[in-house]
């Protein structure tokens, strides 16, 4: 049969209240699902993260063997040799998922959404995935957000940005100082590296926050989202 096209990713969608003119793709952390991430945010905010004009898409990663779990199947965006910032990246699984997520971006473009009206980001591994997707393959997206995320020390993202001259998507990063899974220093180092390679970055620090999301953080993210994807004035003929 040759290489079968990857099956479309399952997704949970929060439709905009009004006219759809922009899209936000939120990638869950390892072992979670799109629906799980949406529910988690809904519990924190007491309502969906919803907008007047922005469609929010929570895709689910396909289950695959995951090395840090001794090869057990898990819904992860890519494999890792270990949860550390000083080992090689599992580039083959990262690149294969970049193709699947590119299909998702293209679906939005087919729906009439301009590429610079699409934001991508996520929590933990989802944020790492988003940085690979945007900075290596889709440098014309509106922006990237990474919550409690990191890139490995010699990440392919850094290699891709060396000598880059074009304007890159802005990065919005949040990280808790008490994170004991993805260390705050890993997130900070990722931020510094991307900044040195020409990315406009911000890093919001949350004292005493572990590997989790907080209400303040999501409210800050929402404010940034609307700044990057403002309501478009209705076009008059």
């Amino acid at each position: 049969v040759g290489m079968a096209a990857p099956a479309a990713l399952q997704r949970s969608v929060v439709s905009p209240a009004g006219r759809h003119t922009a899209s936000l793709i939120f990638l869950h952390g390892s072992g979670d699902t799109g629906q799980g991430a949406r529910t988690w945010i809904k519990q924190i905010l007491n309502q969906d993260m919803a907008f007047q004009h922005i469609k929010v898409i929570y895709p689910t990663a396909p289950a695959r063997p995951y090395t840090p779990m001794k090869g057990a199947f898990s819904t992860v965006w890519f494999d890792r040799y270990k949860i550390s910032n000083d080992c090689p990246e599992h580039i083959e699984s990262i690149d294969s998922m970049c193709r699947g997520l590119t299909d998702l971006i293209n679906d939005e473009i087919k729906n009439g959404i301009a590429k610079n009206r699409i934001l991508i980001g996520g929590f933990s591994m989802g944020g790492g995935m988003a940085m690979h997707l945007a900075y290596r393959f889709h440098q014309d997206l509106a922006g990237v957000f990474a919550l409690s995320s990191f890139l490995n020390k010699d990440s392919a993202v850094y290699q891709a940005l060396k000598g880059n001259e074009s304007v890159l998507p802005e990065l919005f990063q949040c990280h808790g100082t008490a994170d004991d899974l993805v260390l705050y220093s890993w997130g900070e180092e990722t931020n510094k590296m991307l900044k040195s390679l020409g990315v406009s970055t911000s890093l919001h620090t949350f004292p005493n926050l572990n590997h989790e999301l907080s209400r303040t953080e999501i409210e800050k993210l929402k404010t940034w989202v609307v700044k990057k994807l403002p309501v478009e004035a209705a076009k008059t003929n």
Side-chain angles (χ1 to χ4, degrees), residues 78-130:
F78 50 86
D79 199 7
R80 285 186 170 133
Y81 295 105
K82 54 180 198 241
I83 300 174
S84 161
N85 73 338
D86 60 0
C87 63
E89 290 175 321
H90 197 286
I91 204 71
E92 184 192 359
S93 61
I94 292 173
D95 287 359
S96 139
M97 190 49 61
C98 282
R99 290 193 286 275
L101 288 165
T102 293
D103 291 344
L104 184 61
I105 291 170
N106 288 338
D107 283 350
E108 291 311 293
I109 295 168
K110 280 178 206 137
N111 285 333
I113 303 304
K115 203 157 170 201
N116 65 0
R117 297 279 294 165
I118 300 173
L119 272 179
I120 185 149
F123 175 72
S124 193
M125 174 184 265
M129 186 74 233

Side-chain angles (χ1 to χ4, degrees), residues 6-188:
L9 298 167
Q10 284 186 310
R11 54 197 87 165
S12 181
V13 174
V14 183
S15 298
R19 196 169 68 93
H20 176 209
T21 66
S23 297
L24 185 162
I25 299 168
F26 190 105
L27 305 179
H28 62 74
S30 58
D32 201 354
T33 61
Q35 185 60 54
R38 176 183 174 176
T39 303
W40 189 20
I41 288 174
K42 199 171 176 173
Q43 282 166 348
I44 295 170
L45 295 177
N46 294 318
Q47 58 181 7
D48 265 315
M49 178 167 70
F51 302 90
Q52 189 61 33
H53 59 298
I54 306 166
K55 175 189 194 180
V56 184
I57 306 161
Y58 295 95
T60 296
R64 59 156 298 132
Y66 187 46
T67 303
M69 285 172 53
K70 299 189 166 64
F73 270 67
S74 186
T75 47
V76 289
W77 297 108
F78 50 86
D79 199 7
R80 285 186 170 133
Y81 295 105
K82 54 180 198 241
I83 300 174
S84 161
N85 73 338
D86 60 0
C87 63
E89 290 175 321
H90 197 286
I91 204 71
E92 184 192 359
S93 61
I94 292 173
D95 287 359
S96 139
M97 190 49 61
C98 282
R99 290 193 286 275
L101 288 165
T102 293
D103 291 344
L104 184 61
I105 291 170
N106 288 338
D107 283 350
E108 291 311 293
I109 295 168
K110 280 178 206 137
N111 285 333
I113 303 304
K115 203 157 170 201
N116 65 0
R117 297 279 294 165
I118 300 173
L119 272 179
I120 185 149
F123 175 72
S124 193
M125 174 184 265
M129 186 74 233
M131 290 187 277
H132 274 273
L133 189 65
Y135 294 121
R136 292 176 56 216
F137 301 105
H138 299 283
Q139 296 182 349
D140 42 359
L141 288 169
V144 185
F145 60 93
L147 316 174
S148 313
S149 307
F150 74 102
L151 290 170
N152 293 26
K153 281 190 195 302
D154 58 351
S155 176
V157 174
Y158 304 149
Q159 311 310 320
L161 295 181
K162 288 205 168 109
N164 175 75
E165 293 300 320
S166 60
V167 178
L168 298 161
E170 185 185 324
L171 175 68
F172 175 94
Q173 234 181 310
C174 294
H175 216 115
T177 57
D179 195 326
D180 55 13
L181 184 70
V182 173
L183 303 185
Y184 177 78
S185 60
W186 300 355
E188 192 178 38

